[in-house]
Amino acid sequence: MDLQALVDKFKVIAGVYAFDILPDGSYSEIRIMAINSLNNMMFKVNPGAPDFYPGVPLRSYFTEINLENFMYRCASGNEPLYSYVNAFGMWIKGFYLPLDEDGNIINEKGEPNTSPRTAYCLYITTRSAEADTDYMTQHSEGVSSAVMNISLKLHETPNYHQAMAAAVNEIKKVCGSERCALYTVDISNQHCNFINSDGANRDFLENFAAEMGRSPFEVAMSWNNILEESDCLLLEDLEYVKERDLVWYDSLCRYDVNNLILYSIRNNNILVGFIWAANFDVSKLMRIKETLELTAFLISSVIANHQMVSRLEVQSKTDGLTQVNNRNAMNNYVDALVSGEEKRPESMGVVFADLNGLKTVNDDFGHDAGDKLLARAGSLLKLAFGDYDIYRAGGDEFVVFCPEITNEKLDQHVAQLRSLADSTPDVSFAVGSVYVTGEYDIRTAMNAADELMYKDKQEYYRNHPEKDRRKCNNV
């Protein structure tokens, strides 16, 4: 058979691939038998690969497990297949056509032939930078119905986590899997989340990652590396994972995972998450692949929109210079406590910390130096008060709220702040703290802490009159 003449007839990227079906039913490595002149991208993936010759191993150029699985399935089962994936930064349509012994295309699904022989697959592909939305709507009634159900769940409730959990439950049904989850990834802040049909589960995420000695974001990046520019893994066993990431393989075995789906979710080619399913129904493989192609496309916009809104919310509540909460966030919290919208803690520590000498630094060294001093002050407050909410109330003034704290613990945090400032040559705080319990008024407590801070500041300037530029302002 003249395979080169066959592929040269096509005006799109085309190639013929072959492998041997061995006596024990296993497959040999896939070989490239012929490619047309449009298939030059293949040779750019691995610059150290050999020049093409008929029979060169496909993996000399790249490894794409899903592509290989489709070729094996197509040629051994005499089954025409197609795929539509986002890979290598492009949307790729792939058509897989089995060839008979004479090199003729088998256009209709025939009887599988697993007898020892050399099997051939004609792979034809087109590529584009943008998704073909018309093509994505041309699916079977069953796939369209499944995608519609998932889409409805995504928009059934305005609560993001509830909507995603409901969508996960639908995906789990489609896959016929024992387990299914969304693993979301925000590249901008390296934040990840794990959402299954019960909702977000941060504790499981942390434990799952820690078992592998990785952070949740490092887990996501390891998965992204394993995908190797592809969009998904559809694995009927875990041998591929064992070859690529033994740590992850061991983790999967601990959870009794036998097969796996890992489908990347990308928005404008930026990773935003993964669809993860374990112990799925392998008899539904093609329908699962077709459904997830569309599902990942739909979910990507929901995740990306949520991440954008979350970033805007953080920006609206965060002081850009010190990266602590801003005055607006403080006012909202106080108002919520006063109105009863936020449950009042049984005890509360209120700390006012005013940065001494900021005006002196601004006057003598410029506002850039003053900004750096404020940033260092914010860092010391974070070190001293850990996970408690810190606010920049304005100018050189900071406020810290410590709910459900003991008086002794509050004193320890204040002492630590003073100690940190004393060990830093250019940062000094005037501090006032108040501890309240029972039927207290948060604003009264704030006023009391503010008065104590002012007295502390007066004492500082009595001891350091050369740094008191406030008098200059009153002249």
Side-chain angles (χ1 to χ4, degrees):
M1 64 181 83
D2 191 346
L3 299 178
Q4 190 61 49
L6 174 63
V7 297
D8 285 341
K9 293 178 181 177
F10 293 93
K11 302 303 181 184
V12 294
I13 298 169
V16 173
Y17 301 78
F19 59 89
D20 299 321
I21 302 177
L22 305 176
D24 63 358
S26 62
Y27 305 138
S28 70
E29 189 173 347
I30 293 175
R31 307 181 296 276
I32 310 172
M33 307 307 296
I35 52 174
N36 64 8
S37 59
L38 298 174
N39 212 342
N40 56 4
M41 177 187 169
M42 179 183 297
F43 305 112
K44 298 178 181 179
V45 177
N46 180 7
D51 293 336
F52 170 76
Y53 60 87
V56 62
L58 172 61
R59 290 194 176 186
S60 297
Y61 301 103
F62 60 85
T63 300
E64 217 291 70
I65 192 68
N66 296 314
L67 175 68
E68 294 179 13
N69 285 341
F70 268 62
M71 289 180 176
Y72 285 134
R73 189 183 185 109
C74 166
S76 64
N78 288 333
E79 181 182 4
L81 300 173
Y82 76 93
S83 63
Y84 190 48
V85 300
N86 187 287
F88 302 102
M90 298 174 291
W91 287 92
I92 303 175
K93 293 179 186 176
F95 302 89
Y96 306 77
L97 298 170
L99 302 178
D100 63 21
E101 291 81 358
D102 298 320
N104 299 311
I105 297 172
I106 303 173
N107 290 310
E108 299 293 335
K109 183 175 180 179
E111 291 297 322
N113 182 359
T114 57
S115 60
R117 63 187 176 93
T118 298
Y120 294 88
C121 172
L122 172 63
Y123 176 55
I124 305 167
T125 180
T126 62
R127 299 163 183 171
S128 63
E130 301 294 329
D132 185 343
T133 53
D134 289 337
Y135 180 81
M136 295 181 77
T137 62
Q138 299 170 10
H139 293 275
S140 68
E141 182 178 347
V143 169
S144 298
S145 176
V147 172
M148 179 61 71
N149 287 337
I150 293 169
S151 179
L152 289 172
K153 295 300 182 183
L154 285 171
H155 301 93
E156 214 168 44
T157 170
N159 184 294
Y160 168 76
H161 290 105
Q162 289 180 6
M164 297 301 262
V168 167
N169 196 47
E170 292 299 313
I171 296 170
K172 184 178 179 182
K173 294 176 185 177
V174 169
C175 297
S177 59
E178 292 180 6
R179 298 178 181 144
C180 186
L182 288 173
Y183 196 107
T184 63
V185 182
D186 191 336
I187 298 291
S188 66
N189 57 20
Q190 299 189 1
H191 181 268
C192 300
N193 204 354
F194 181 92
I195 306 171
N196 60 17
S197 56
D198 295 324
N201 193 331
R202 184 72 191 179
D203 289 341
F204 175 82
L205 174 68
E206 296 288 350
N207 292 335
F208 171 73
E211 287 173 356
M212 291 189 282
R214 297 168 179 171
S215 69
F217 185 73
E218 287 171 340
V219 170
M221 292 300 96
S222 69
W223 290 353
N224 195 45
N225 291 336
I226 285 178
L227 287 174
E228 294 187 314
E229 301 292 339
S230 181
D231 65 334
C232 67
L233 291 176
L234 302 169
L235 302 177
E236 298 184 30
D237 59 48
L238 301 182
E239 287 303 310
Y240 183 76
V241 176
K242 187 177 182 180
E243 293 174 6
R244 298 307 175 97
D245 190 338
L246 190 57
V247 173
W248 184 28
Y249 171 79
D250 289 339
S251 174
L252 291 172
C253 291
R254 282 196 297 272
Y255 286 93
D256 296 322
V257 173
N258 302 313
N259 59 40
L260 181 70
I261 295 170
L262 184 69
Y263 210 113
S264 65
I265 307 171
R266 301 180 187 275
N267 185 266
N268 294 326
N269 288 325
I270 297 174
L271 180 71
V272 295
F274 300 92
I275 298 170
W276 183 94
N279 299 340
F280 65 95
D281 186 347
V282 296
S283 69
K284 298 180 178 179
L285 186 62
M286 299 313 298
R287 180 182 176 185
I288 292 170
K289 176 72 165 64
E290 197 174 348
T291 304
L292 294 188
E293 286 171 1
L294 298 173
T295 299
F297 186 74
L298 294 173
I299 291 178
S300 69
S301 61
V302 177
I303 296 175
N305 183 64
H306 174 74
Q307 292 177 348
M308 179 186 69
V309 171
S310 297
R311 284 192 288 270
L312 290 174
E313 288 179 350
V314 170
Q315 290 173 9
S316 72
K317 298 176 182 178
T318 304
D319 177 63
L321 180 60
T322 61
Q323 294 303 301
V324 300
N325 298 306
N326 61 20
R327 186 181 184 86
N328 181 55
M330 183 185 76
N331 290 339
N332 288 341
Y333 178 64
V334 172
D335 290 344
L337 286 176
V338 172
S339 68
E341 179 183 347
E342 181 86 19
K343 183 180 178 182
R344 184 175 58 195
E346 289 296 321
S347 63
M348 175 71 80
V350 180
V351 180
F352 270 58
D354 198 277
L355 181 60
N356 292 322
L358 178 62
K359 181 168 175 39
T360 302
V361 173
N362 283 335
D363 291 347
D364 293 349
F365 303 104
H367 284 275
D368 284 346
D371 288 347
K372 291 178 181 177
L373 181 61
L374 280 166
R376 287 194 291 277
S379 297
L380 291 187
L381 283 160
K382 292 175 190 175
L383 287 173
F385 288 94
D387 294 331
Y388 290 115
D389 287 330
I390 305 166
Y391 302 85
R392 184 185 177 195
D396 52 7
E397 188 174 77
F398 297 84
V399 177
V400 186
F401 291 120
C402 305
E404 308 296 357
I405 195 173
T406 64
N407 198 358
E408 180 183 10
K409 193 71 174 177
L410 177 65
D411 290 343
Q412 289 175 2
H413 283 293
V414 172
Q416 185 178 11
L417 177 63
R418 292 188 185 279
S419 176
L420 287 169
D422 288 344
S423 63
T424 305
D426 58 347
V427 178
S428 172
F429 287 107
V431 182
S433 64
V434 169
Y435 176 76
V436 291
T437 61
E439 297 295 323
Y440 60 87
D441 181 274
I442 189 65
R443 287 173 176 161
T444 301
M446 292 173 68
N447 288 335
D450 189 28
E451 289 178 7
L452 291 172
M453 180 272 294
Y454 183 69
K455 291 179 181 179
D456 195 39
K457 182 172 281 286
Q458 287 181 317
E459 180 67 21
Y460 173 81
Y461 283 126
R462 273 196 296 270
N463 295 329
H464 304 278
E466 74 283 0
K467 295 185 178 182
D468 190 357
R469 300 294 173 89
R470 300 172 303 165
K471 297 176 182 177
C472 299
N473 293 336
N474 297 324
V475 174

